[in-house]
RNA sequence: GAGCCGCUAGCUCAGUCGGUAGAGCAUCUGCCUUUUAAGCAGGUGGCCCCGGGUUCGAGUCCCGGGCGGCUCACCA
């Protein structure tokens, strides 16, 4: 491009004064024969390791030992005194201060330093000492630029605050806001903990299709897509459930999957269109076994993360010490509303009661669904401390096993924490004839206008016809669990790149 | 999808009754060899989210739109 092409030079992001200054510095480095983007520097140490190893060493010990370190990282701050300067360098493990002295680095080295800015990636070698103010610091004797940054960093004191910028440029958020990094490190620790917990109980981790010809396993609106070569419409999965249970049929007996689900629904502080779900299935277990396992898993997770089973969430102390409260949907509704027992036996009574609550129930809604609506309106939000709510209506649980004593209910629970659903589990329906009937029922609801009712899955029915052992299965919303464990108010705070409008 | 709030320099934010666009940090120049929100002095930097309207005059008032946040609805 030449000056004559002026017309074509369009203002682009990054034409700030700083950007131009840095471009000029970049050019002058190149002119001086310095590659601003080399890749041959290997750091022997990390800031965190240096801090751990030498954080307690006294000034005298450091003088005596002559400890040399090499570090690679990003310059987060520069304090310039003319012929000497301090920098803070950040790597994956933390920060370390470097002291840059013209006497030690020499004219040439110091000239290079003068062309560096906050945000640049550097590598250095230096000898550890303690400054007058007591900070462990490396006296830099060799300095390399490893990557020039052209944009200025967000403000050092406030960091990046603008919520939209934090989500759209998460790399900046993570770079300058240590709390944010902490949340995502915890997220990783939580997922690792769950993997180890389940693996330790002989569950095997599997991966099942994300692209599915039938979007089954949950009541939700799917995303659709199209496979060109096959000329076939496909769905992004709303749940892995039906595939995981095929693996139980197959004899794997204990399986789990931690992966993304996609639901074409609203976005909120509790919902992201793609979210991470843990699902696990255990043969020869019941939903009651799942409650015990869940208590153990989450309480020990809290203990590992916080050193306590009590977790602060947005000003509320959540106590995960087992055993957790267990209550049926029926008892919960009776306890938290003035409903009459009749609503559980008489759909008309349930409908009438729902009207008194201000619910607008669409015509043709099943009795069970009305009960569910009533529960959600009156009781669900009341369960702040971890609570298993059990025995949901049959009609809203087409994949769950009927309760032996009351066939209008299923052996199912949801785990509520802070009034929100964290987990959902049931003893699985393994009677293929019953399953087929339930799918038929769903088809009728679909015909009646419920777009979230299940479709018939012939192959799943056929799998059950080969015989599935009695099994219990559970799904846990990982994002919501991470929210609780990291005291995060929005699901977007625990998803690295939440969905935003273009 | 609805209601409320927000959008001003790279970042964090002021901007009064409608009257020439401001600060701190960052950046640049000068001074400064143990600072840590370093300091001192002096500069540069703006499509006030976009488009209309009212007005002699709009960052400010009105209308429409965009994006984001919160609440609600749907949902996990």
């Amino acid at each position: 491009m030449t000056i004559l092409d002026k017309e074509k030079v369009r203002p682009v992001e990054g034409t700030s004064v700083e950007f131009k200054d840095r471009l000029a510095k970049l050019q002058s480095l190149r002119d001086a024969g310095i590659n601003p983007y080399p890749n041959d520097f290997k750091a022997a140490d990390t800031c965190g390791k240096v801090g751990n190893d030498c954080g307690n060493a006294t000034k005298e010990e450091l003088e005596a030992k002559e400890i040399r370190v090499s570090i690679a990282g990003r310059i987060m701050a520069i304090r310039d005194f003319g012929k000497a300067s301090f920098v803070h360098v950040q790597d994956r493990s933390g920060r370390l201060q470097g002291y840059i002295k013209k006497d030690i680095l020499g004219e040439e080295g110091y000239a290079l330093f003068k062309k560096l800015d906050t945000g640049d990636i550097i590598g250095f070698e230096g000898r550890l000492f303690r400054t007058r103010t007591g900070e462990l610091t490396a006296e830099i004797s060799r300095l390399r630029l490893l990557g020039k940054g052209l944009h200025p960093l967000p403000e050092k004191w406030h960091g990046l605050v603008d919520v939209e910028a934090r989500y759209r440029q998460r790399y900046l958020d993570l770079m300058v806001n240590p709390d944010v990094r902490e949340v995502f490190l915890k997220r990783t620790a939580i997922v690792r903990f769950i993997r180890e917990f389940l693996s330790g109980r002989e569950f095997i981790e599997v991966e099942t299709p994300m692209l599915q010809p039938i979007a089954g396993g949950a009541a939700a609106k799917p995303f659709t897509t199209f496979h060109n070569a096959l000329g076939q419409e496909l769905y992004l999965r709303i749940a892995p459930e039906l595939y995981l249970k095929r693996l139980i049929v197959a004899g794997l007996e204990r399986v789990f999957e931690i992966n993304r689900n996609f639901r074409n629904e609203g976005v909120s502080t509790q919902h992201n269109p793609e979210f991470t779900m843990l699902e696990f299935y255990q043969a020869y277990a019941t939903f009651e076994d799942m409650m015990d396992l869940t208590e153990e898993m989450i309480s020990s997770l809290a203990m590992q993360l916080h050193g306590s089973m009590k977790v602060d969430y947005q000003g509320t102390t959540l106590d995960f010490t087992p055993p957790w409260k267990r209550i049926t949907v029926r008892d919960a509704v009776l306890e938290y509303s003035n409903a009459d027992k009749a609503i559980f036996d008489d759909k008309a009574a349930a409908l009438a009661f729902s009207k008194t609550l201000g619910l607008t129930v669409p015509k043709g809604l099943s009795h069970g669904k009305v009960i569910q609506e009533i529960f959600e309106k009156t009781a669900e939000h009341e369960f702040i401390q971890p609570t298993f709510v059990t025995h949901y209506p049959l009609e809203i649980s087409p994949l769950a096993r009927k309760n032996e004593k009351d066939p209008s209910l299923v052996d199912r629970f949801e785990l509520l924490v802070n009034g929100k659903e964290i987990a959902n589990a049931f003893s699985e329906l393994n009677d293929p004839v019953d399953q087929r009937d339930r799918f038929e029922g769903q088809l009728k609801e679909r015909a009646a206008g419920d777009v979230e009712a299940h479709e018939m899955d012939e192959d799943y029915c056929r799998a059950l016809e080969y015989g599935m052992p009695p099994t219990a299965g559970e799904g846990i919303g990982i994002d919501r669990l991470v929210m609780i464990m990291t005291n995060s108010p929005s699901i977007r705070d625990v998803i690295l790149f939440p969905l935003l409008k273009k």
Side-chain angles (χ1 to χ4, degrees), chain A residues 251-323:
Chain A
L252 298 187
E253 293 190 356
R254 297 181 186 195
V255 297
F256 75 100
E257 178 166 8
I258 300 173
N259 224 322
R260 221 64 62 82
N261 287 349
F262 305 87
R263 298 191 185 174
N264 206 339
E265 291 157 2
V267 176
S268 77
T269 53
Q270 308 290 320
H271 303 85
N272 194 63
E274 51 179 315
F275 62 101
T276 301
M277 189 78 143
L278 160 69
E279 285 201 10
F280 55 98
Y281 292 82
Q282 180 177 350
Y284 311 109
T286 67
F287 80 125
E288 282 162 331
D289 298 321
M290 292 288 104
M291 285 193 256
D292 295 341
L293 183 147
T294 303
E295 279 177 348
E296 193 182 342
M297 180 163 71
I298 295 182
S299 62
S300 55
L301 171 64
M303 184 58 90
Q304 170 150 326
L305 282 176
H306 299 99
S308 165
M309 291 190 185
K310 293 192 172 78
V311 175
D312 176 65
Y313 185 71
Q314 302 294 302
T316 302
T317 300
L318 302 173
D319 187 353
F320 289 96
T321 309

Side-chain angles (χ1 to χ4, degrees), chain A residues 25 28-29 32 34 82 100-102 105-117 143:
Chain A
K25 285 178 185 172
S28 77
L29 287 165
I34 295 167
I100 296 174
K101 206 173 169 185
K102 195 171 184 180
L105 213 52
E107 285 289 342
E108 205 173 316
Y110 208 73
L112 167 65
F113 168 70
K114 285 291 187 183
K115 293 217 160 37
L116 299 185
D117 295 291
L143 178 66

Side-chain angles (χ1 to χ4, degrees), chain A residues 124-423:
Chain A
F124 68 79
E125 295 171 16
R127 180 188 62 86
L128 291 181
F129 74 108
R130 205 167 276 283
T131 62
R132 214 170 273 168
T133 51
E135 181 164 349
L136 182 68
T137 302
E139 184 184 69
I140 295 177
S141 51
R142 186 163 167 265
L143 178 66
R144 293 279 306 279
L145 173 62
L146 305 182
K148 185 71 190 162
L150 297 178
H151 290 291
L153 251 36
E155 211 228 8
K156 61 186 171 189
W157 191 241
H158 299 93
L160 188 66
V161 172
D162 181 80
V163 179
E164 183 169 2
R166 285 185 43 227
Y167 294 151
R168 289 194 194 275
Q169 293 182 275
R170 184 69 94 180
Y171 47 89
L172 277 181
D173 193 25
L174 288 163
M175 206 184 284
V176 302
N177 293 332
D179 298 358
V180 174
R181 169 190 285 251
E182 199 57 39
V183 166
F184 288 104
L185 292 179
K186 268 192 187 160
R187 181 178 176 125
T188 302
I190 289 165
V191 171
R192 190 188 323 122
F193 177 92
I194 290 170
R195 285 208 160 93
E196 285 169 4
F197 182 93
L198 290 172
S199 299
R201 281 162 181 71
E202 296 183 60
F203 285 81
I204 59 167
E205 184 169 8
V206 297
E207 293 178 83
T208 63
M210 313 287 277
L211 293 174
Q212 302 183 351
I214 298 171
K221 298 184 196 76
F223 286 92
T224 59
T225 188
F226 188 79
H227 189 287
N228 291 339
L230 298 181
Q232 179 191 320
E233 190 168 69
L234 290 166
Y235 299 100
L236 274 61
R237 77 177 188 192
I238 56 174
E241 172 156 353
L242 300 183
Y243 286 93
L244 291 172
K245 283 194 280 194
R246 282 172 172 93
L247 297 177
I248 297 297
V249 170
L252 298 187
E253 293 190 356
R254 297 181 186 195
V255 297
F256 75 100
E257 178 166 8
I258 300 173
N259 224 322
R260 221 64 62 82
N261 287 349
F262 305 87
R263 298 191 185 174
N264 206 339
E265 291 157 2
V267 176
S268 77
T269 53
Q270 308 290 320
H271 303 85
N272 194 63
E274 51 179 315
F275 62 101
T276 301
M277 189 78 143
L278 160 69
E279 285 201 10
F280 55 98
Y281 292 82
Q282 180 177 350
Y284 311 109
T286 67
F287 80 125
E288 282 162 331
D289 298 321
M290 292 288 104
M291 285 193 256
D292 295 341
L293 183 147
T294 303
E295 279 177 348
E296 193 182 342
M297 180 163 71
I298 295 182
S299 62
S300 55
L301 171 64
M303 184 58 90
Q304 170 150 326
L305 282 176
H306 299 99
S308 165
M309 291 190 185
K310 293 192 172 78
V311 175
D312 176 65
Y313 185 71
Q314 302 294 302
T316 302
T317 300
L318 302 173
D319 187 353
F320 289 96
T321 309
W324 303 340
K325 180 174 182 172
R326 300 182 185 192
I327 187 171
T328 64
V329 169
R330 181 191 168 103
D331 287 347
V333 169
L334 292 176
E335 186 172 335
Y336 290 101
S337 75
N338 57 356
D340 190 277
K341 282 176 185 161
I343 67 166
F344 299 103
D345 304 317
D346 179 7
K347 185 177 173 184
L351 277 171
F353 182 64
S354 74
K355 284 211 179 80
T356 69
L357 295 172
L359 290 169
T360 48
V361 179
K363 260 187 249 168
L365 212 61
S366 65
H367 185 195
K369 212 150 190 180
V370 176
I371 295 294
Q372 172 70 1
E373 296 269 344
I374 290 170
F375 167 73
E376 286 177 5
K377 175 81 178 179
T378 59
E380 188 175 45
H381 59 274
E382 299 283 351
F383 297 108
I384 303 302
Q385 296 302 323
T387 303
F388 293 114
V389 176
T390 65
H391 297 96
Y392 281 72
L394 176 82
E395 294 100 320
I396 60 164
S397 316
L399 302 167
R401 179 189 179 89
K402 278 178 194 157
N403 182 264
E404 301 264 323
K405 287 179 191 144
D406 182 349
S408 76
L409 302 176
V410 293
D411 285 347
R412 170 179 173 184
F413 72 80
E414 286 192 2
L415 170 61
L416 299 182
V417 179
N418 199 38
K420 308 256 165 45
E421 181 187 339
I422 296 296

Side-chain angles (χ1 to χ4, degrees), chain A residues 362-366 440-451 453:
Chain A
K363 260 187 249 168
L365 212 61
S366 65
E440 301 284 0
Q442 288 288 303
L443 290 177
K444 277 181 197 143
E445 298 214 5
R446 213 177 170 78
D450 184 352
V451 292

